[in-house]
């Protein structure tokens, strides 16, 4: 089983839909992350969970709702999104709970398009 | 807020050429990481540098951390088509979770 998996890989949704993105890590890591990657913009950190507790919420609109039921799984629940939310959503995990040299392992991402 | 500026934004070269891409900040880095992201995939860590003046080599890739720890460079020797991708630099505050990424250099190596 590869390290960090994300489903679905592609998602098209309308502005009134509710959908969820799923991330799973098989590395025994303690921390999990959601990032947003838009064209020509740097990766933006959205949320961080450490030992299943949210430790970082980077001023993300409430239409994005994360959930971390255990240290291996991370969800991002989406509702009433806007077209500008279309982006690649990346999940990552790391072993240690923070630190400058802590290595993050990324999943392949979910390409989200909001119509 | 620390910002990481990467240059150039885009680079298209022939196979066999050498290239250098840069990552700069007005602030001092506690450490700096370089990632490569291929189309349809997430970023993959290439190297972490922590000491000012440090040089690390990974096959044809040479990473350098500036003496003042405000800048870094990635040099690729004899580029190959497999080097095509988005090269990202990133920095994280010591003891924290928040990683700041640059916007990246998109490299295209033509056969």
């Amino acid at each position: 089983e590869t390290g960090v998996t994300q489903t679905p890989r592609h998602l098209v949704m309308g502005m009134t839909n509710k959908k969820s993105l799923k991330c799973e890590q098989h590395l025994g890591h303690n921390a999990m992350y959601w990032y947003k990657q838009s064209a020509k913009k740097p990766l933006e950190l959205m949320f961080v969970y450490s030992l299943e507790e949210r430790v970082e919420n980077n001023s993300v609109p409430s239409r994005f709702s994360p959930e971390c039921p255990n240290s291996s799984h991370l969800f991002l629940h989406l509702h009433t999104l806007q077209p500008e939310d279309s982006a690649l959503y990346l999940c990552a995990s790391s072993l240690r709970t923070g630190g400058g040299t802590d290595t993050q392992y990324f999943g392949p991402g979910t390409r989200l398009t909001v119509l | 807020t620390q910002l990481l500026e990467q240059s150039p934004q885009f680079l298209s070269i022939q196979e066999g050429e050498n290239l250098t891409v840069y990552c700069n900040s007005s602030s001092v880095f506690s450490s700096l990481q370089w990632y490569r992201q291929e189309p349809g995939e997430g970023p993959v860590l290439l190297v972490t540098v922590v000491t000012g003046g440090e040089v690390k080599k990974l096959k044809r890739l040479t990473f350098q951390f500036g003496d003042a720890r405000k800048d870094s460079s990635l040099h690729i020797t004899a580029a190959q088509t497999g080097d095509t991708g988005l090269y990202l630099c990133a920095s994280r505050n010591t003891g924290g979770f928040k990683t700041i990424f640059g916007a990246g250099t998109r490299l295209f190596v033509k056969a």
Side-chain angles (χ1 to χ4, degrees):
Chain A
E1 189 75 67
T2 54
V4 181
T5 58
Q6 290 187 242
T7 55
R9 293 293 306 273
H10 300 272
L11 178 62
V12 179
M13 58 187 290
M15 290 190 285
T16 58
N17 292 158
K18 288 185 180 181
K19 296 287 184 183
S20 295
L21 310 185
K22 179 182 176 182
C23 176
E24 187 172 358
Q25 58 98 359
H26 309 274
L27 301 169
H29 287 170
N30 296 316
M32 296 187 78
Y33 311 74
W34 280 117
Y35 285 89
K36 176 183 178 182
Q37 188 175 34
S38 305
K40 299 182 181 179
K41 291 177 67 176
L43 266 77
E44 300 170 67
L45 180 66
M46 300 175 72
F47 302 103
V48 182
Y49 278 81
S50 174
L51 300 172
E52 301 151 46
E53 182 179 336
R54 192 189 310 181
V55 296
E56 191 82 39
N57 179 347
N58 207 28
S59 303
V60 179
S62 59
R63 58 186 183 269
F64 295 92
S65 175
E67 179 190 0
C68 187
N70 55 61
S71 59
S72 298
H73 294 86
L74 185 66
F75 295 89
L76 187 63
H77 304 298
L78 316 171
H79 64 98
T80 57
L81 295 191
Q82 306 297 311
E84 59 264 29
D85 296 322
S86 298
L88 182 68
Y89 288 85
L90 290 160
C91 173
S93 70
S94 68
L95 177 60
R96 292 188 291 272
T97 51
T101 58
D102 193 22
T103 299
Q104 293 178 71
Y105 293 81
F106 284 84
T110 295
R111 172 69 62 185
L112 173 68
T113 302
V114 182
L115 301 176
Chain B
T1 303
Q2 183 178 57
L3 294 176
L4 301 180
E5 296 184 359
Q6 291 192 244
S7 61
Q9 291 184 3
F10 182 80
L11 190 56
S12 179
I13 62 170
Q14 289 294 136
E15 199 169 28
E17 292 183 4
N18 302 332
L19 66 116
T20 303
V21 298
Y22 301 92
C23 177
N24 296 287
S25 173
S26 57
S27 305
V28 174
F29 302 125
S30 55
S31 64
L32 190 113
Q33 297 178 319
W34 283 94
Y35 290 82
R36 179 169 65 212
Q37 184 177 16
E38 298 184 19
E41 300 297 329
V44 175
L45 180 69
L46 296 173
V47 77
T48 300
V49 287
V50 297
T51 305
E54 183 176 3
V55 176
K56 282 191 173 180
K57 292 195 174 185
L58 184 67
K59 296 183 180 178
R60 294 176 295 101
L61 278 60
T62 302
F63 303 86
Q64 190 159 2
F65 202 13
D67 291 340
R69 291 169 34 223
K70 288 186 174 184
D71 57 274
S72 181
S73 63
L74 159 58
H75 181 80
I76 301 179
T77 303
Q80 299 176 357
T81 55
D83 296 325
T84 292
L86 179 66
Y87 288 81
L88 300 163
C89 65
S91 180
R92 184 184 226 180
N93 52 326
T94 303
F97 294 97
K98 192 166 185 175
T99 301
I100 306 295
F101 281 84
T105 292
R106 190 165 298 279
L107 172 65
F108 182 65
V109 182
K110 297 175 284 188

